[in-house]
Amino acid sequence: QKEVEQDPGPLSVPEGAIVSLNCTYSNSAFQYFMWYRQYSRKGPELLMYTYSSGNKEDGRFTAQVDKSSKYISLFIRDSQPSDSATYLCAMKGIGGTSYGKLTFGQGTILTVHP
Amino acid sequence: EAGVAQSPRYKIIEKRQSVAFWCNPISGHATLYWYQQILGQGPKLLIQFQNNGVVDDSQLPKDRFSAERLKGVDSTLKIQPAKLEDSAVYLCASSTSGNTIYFGEGSWLTVV
């Protein structure tokens, strides 16, 4: 079983739709949760960073963490064609073998069509 | 502020040949990472440096991969000899506290 599971999609939505991207994890040591966006032929760029359970909002993006269920989500409101990219969840722990090491999900390919 | 610089961006080599990738992290970032991203997968950590010391190289195939970070700044990742399954993007990243990691654009390797 992989430590981090992410549905690879692909996901295709019309412009203006609400997008939901999800990851589950099995390692209880993970305490920091991130979402990266990766455009084609580019490196990943950090979108959202959260530590505690609950919601964190930044513009059209909302990151949600549920540590009890080991489940994280990224919501994109009013999606735009420029949001078309691969979205990677990533997480790391604060102790043990996961300390300092960022573990990524497989990535979800998102296409927003006009 | 300049980002993480990597070169070359693209490389095509034959199997059993060697290749080297170079990385210049963001100025002042003590931690440097090399990740391997195979098409359709998330990045996988190969090696992590703190200044010029190795923190984690547990997933580095040491029979063919080597990395160094002389003087705690630039780093080089070498593959020798290359195999077909080494075709991937090699991402260099850097950070200060380790919580926010910044990636370069990657070096795309095709082994034929």
Side-chain angles (χ1 to χ4, degrees):
Chain A
Q1 182 189 10
K2 293 181 181 178
E3 284 189 294
V4 181
E5 298 278 359
Q6 183 176 6
D7 186 343
L11 190 59
S12 181
V13 301
E15 184 175 355
I18 297 174
V19 176
S20 172
L21 305 166
N22 311 294
C23 287
T24 59
Y25 62 96
S26 58
N27 190 340
S28 298
F30 289 144
Q31 296 294 321
Y32 297 94
F33 305 92
M34 285 141 273
W35 286 95
Y36 282 82
R37 178 174 62 195
Q38 186 173 26
Y39 290 116
S40 180
R41 298 276 173 180
K42 298 289 186 182
E45 58 175 326
L46 182 66
L47 265 182
M48 299 286 285
Y49 166 82
T50 58
Y51 171 72
S52 56
S53 283
N55 294 349
K56 180 177 181 180
E57 191 172 316
D58 184 1
R60 298 184 295 110
F61 299 91
T62 300
Q64 188 175 81
V65 174
D66 182 347
K67 290 185 179 180
S68 62
S69 301
K70 297 189 177 66
Y71 188 88
I72 69 170
S73 299
L74 178 70
F75 298 96
I76 308 174
R77 292 185 300 279
D78 188 24
S79 57
Q80 303 295 309
S82 58
D83 294 328
S84 298
T86 297
Y87 289 80
L88 297 153
C89 64
M91 44 199 81
K92 62 185 289 187
I94 57 173
T97 57
S98 63
Y99 178 74
K101 176 182 172 180
L102 205 58
T103 301
F104 283 87
Q106 185 176 354
T108 300
I109 300 171
L110 172 67
T111 301
V112 182
H113 52 86
Chain B
E1 180 182 75
V4 177
Q6 290 189 244
S7 68
R9 287 293 321 276
Y10 303 95
K11 191 77 175 178
I12 300 174
I13 63 172
E14 295 183 348
K15 58 184 178 183
R16 291 187 290 275
Q17 286 187 326
S18 64
V19 64
F21 301 113
W22 172 84
C23 173
N24 180 240
I26 294 172
S27 178
H29 283 196
T31 309
L32 185 147
Y33 314 79
W34 282 102
Y35 282 83
Q36 180 193 56
Q37 186 177 21
I38 293 172
L39 186 65
Q41 298 183 20
K44 180 185 81 171
L45 180 68
L46 291 176
I47 189 166
Q48 177 182 343
F49 292 95
Q50 181 70 23
N51 295 307
N52 60 349
V54 175
V55 174
D56 184 347
D57 64 356
S58 58
Q59 297 191 93
L60 186 73
K62 298 180 185 62
D63 58 335
R64 298 183 301 104
F65 286 65
S66 64
E68 60 181 9
R69 190 183 185 194
L70 300 176
K71 301 181 182 178
V73 181
D74 294 3
S75 177
T76 302
L77 175 71
K78 295 180 181 177
I79 306 173
Q80 182 181 15
K83 291 185 176 181
L84 295 177
E85 59 260 37
D86 297 333
S87 294
V89 184
Y90 291 87
L91 295 162
C92 181
S94 68
S95 69
T96 51
S97 64
N99 287 333
T100 302
I101 298 176
Y102 298 90
F103 285 84
E105 295 203 325
S107 291
W108 298 72
L109 174 67
T110 301
V111 182
V112 298

